[in-house]
Amino acid sequence: MRRTLVATGLAVLLLATACADSRGAGGAPGSGTSTASRQDPDQVARTLASLRRVDDLPLYEMTYVGDYDPTVRVPGATPPSPFGCSLFAALADRDRPLFARNFDWEPNPALVLRTDPPDGYASISLVDISYLGVSADPAGDRRLLDAPLLPFDGMNERGLAVGLAADDGARADPVPGRPTVGSVRILRLVLDAAATVDEAVGVFARHNLDFDGGPPLHYLLADATGASAVVEFVDGTMRVDRRRGPWQALTNVPAVGVTDRDLRGDHRYGVLAKELDRVGGTLDAAGALRLLAAVRQHHTRWSVTYALRSGEVRVVTAGGGIRDYRLPMG
């Protein structure tokens, strides 16, 4: 393992998809339970035993023990486009980059997921477990073993953070010879393999994204050096817009090649831009959460800040619960 993940408090949410094929945990045939798990029975038992409820959202936390196959393709429910999301990358001070995000969606149970794959980076990420087909009482449900597949935002031990937002006009045309992954699944590949924005862009560039099997999306990336970038698909082609100023933001309107004036015409983007300009792109976690509250919608499920050098994570859930985490950085 590249690093053992230790959390000192836990709360984050994450959207995922239901899975069904002929293999059980560890790929065992004939179990009748679909999973990307590559765990032995003891690891499965330890993973499911780690599940606990920590918030009335309801919010759960779980530590995934062992390995999984992030590329396995399994049929299941397709998550529709989220109603809206707001994300930005800024600085807590001159040398401490920060990633912040509202996830706006339906009132589903959620999961804080910790992973430490043997051939990838440890990470903490967020999952809406209703898309795994899991009820509000998930104890012992083996479908949770698929939770690593579909993080909707997260940060890894190298300080690389990624989040998504719906972009209904996006279209990703396939490039011959590249493997195809889902539009949410790509976040898991990024968290496991990328330490920097450049490396994360490379992960995107090596894959075709399947928007037919999930919502059309665009993405915000940020890393511990202070770099950030928007990855978007315009007329079928991947485009990248790298940060040119002290901050970068993303909502649910196209961003690449769009004028600043037009971007600010979107209400939530305009609110973010005005405040980030006022503070010179410098906000601590408390200030970032106040700004996220200013663009909060009635269906905002959680707000989260990721400190990309210290590994500190703060999550505010829809009911007002606040939880703090720390991901050891490597």
Side-chain angles (χ1 to χ4, degrees):
M1 298 184 183
R2 293 188 177 175
R3 190 174 183 91
T4 300
L5 174 60
V6 178
T8 58
L10 302 160
V12 193
L13 315 162
L14 172 60
L15 187 63
T17 344
C19 304
D21 68 13
S22 62
R23 293 175 297 180
S31 69
T33 302
S34 75
T35 179
S37 164
R38 297 299 177 262
Q39 301 160 293
D40 62 37
D42 177 67
Q43 291 170 329
V44 168
R46 289 163 58 196
T47 295
L48 296 179
S50 73
L51 184 76
R52 70 185 183 100
R53 180 168 170 163
V54 295
D55 186 280
D56 289 337
L57 187 69
L59 177 67
Y60 299 86
E61 69 179 50
M62 189 177 80
T63 298
Y64 191 98
V65 181
D67 200 7
Y68 50 84
D69 181 353
T71 66
V72 67
R73 293 178 63 82
V74 284
T78 296
S81 295
F83 297 144
C85 295
S86 304
L87 309 89
F88 63 87
L91 297 173
D93 58 33
R94 289 187 178 182
D95 61 357
R96 290 193 297 158
L98 186 76
F99 186 94
R101 177 270 213 293
N102 279 349
F103 183 73
D104 305 338
W105 191 225
E106 295 179 345
N108 300 324
L111 176 71
V112 177
L113 182 67
R114 294 165 290 158
T115 59
D116 190 0
D119 57 352
Y121 296 122
S123 67
I124 185 167
S125 57
L126 286 172
V127 190
D128 178 334
I129 60 176
S130 70
Y131 291 95
L132 292 165
V134 177
S135 71
D137 183 17
D141 196 319
R142 292 171 66 91
R143 287 172 294 185
L144 291 171
L145 301 178
D146 287 329
L149 295 180
L150 298 167
F152 273 56
D153 56 66
M155 175 181 69
N156 69 22
E157 63 177 294
R158 298 302 300 274
L160 186 283
V162 58
L164 57 79
D167 176 13
D168 289 339
R171 190 183 88 244
D173 292 342
V175 176
R178 294 180 184 174
T180 298
V181 297
S183 58
V184 179
R185 183 78 54 85
I186 190 70
L187 272 68
R188 171 51 57 197
L189 302 184
V190 165
L191 290 171
D192 285 359
T196 66
V197 166
D198 284 345
E199 290 180 3
V201 169
V203 173
F204 275 93
R206 291 192 294 273
H207 293 84
N208 292 318
L209 295 196
D210 179 11
F211 287 162
D212 292 332
L217 302 169
H218 54 183
Y219 308 84
L220 182 63
L221 305 164
D223 68 29
T225 73
S228 68
V230 168
V231 175
E232 198 164 85
F233 292 82
V234 181
D235 296 328
T237 301
M238 187 178 105
R239 301 273 300 279
V240 179
D241 182 20
R242 297 177 186 273
R243 180 197 298 211
R244 291 179 293 276
W247 58 268
Q248 191 164 22
L250 187 68
T251 57
N252 299 103
V253 296
V256 177
V258 178
T259 67
D260 182 67
R261 178 178 179 179
D262 286 344
L263 282 172
R264 291 173 189 247
D266 175 72
H267 171 71
R268 283 180 288 118
Y269 188 98
V271 171
L272 294 176
K274 182 178 180 180
E275 178 62 12
L276 288 165
D277 279 346
R278 188 186 72 81
V279 299
T282 302
L283 288 171
D284 60 12
L289 286 168
R290 286 193 295 271
L291 180 52
L292 289 175
V295 292
R296 183 181 180 87
Q297 302 184 86
H298 73 276
H299 51 278
T300 299
R301 303 308 298 152
W302 73 83
S303 303
V304 58
T305 61
Y306 296 99
L308 304 184
R309 289 195 179 174
S310 69
E312 295 171 344
V313 181
R314 173 160 287 187
V315 181
V316 179
T317 60
I322 300 175
R323 299 192 68 85
D324 292 317
Y325 308 76
R326 186 179 179 88
L327 175 67
M329 309 304 279

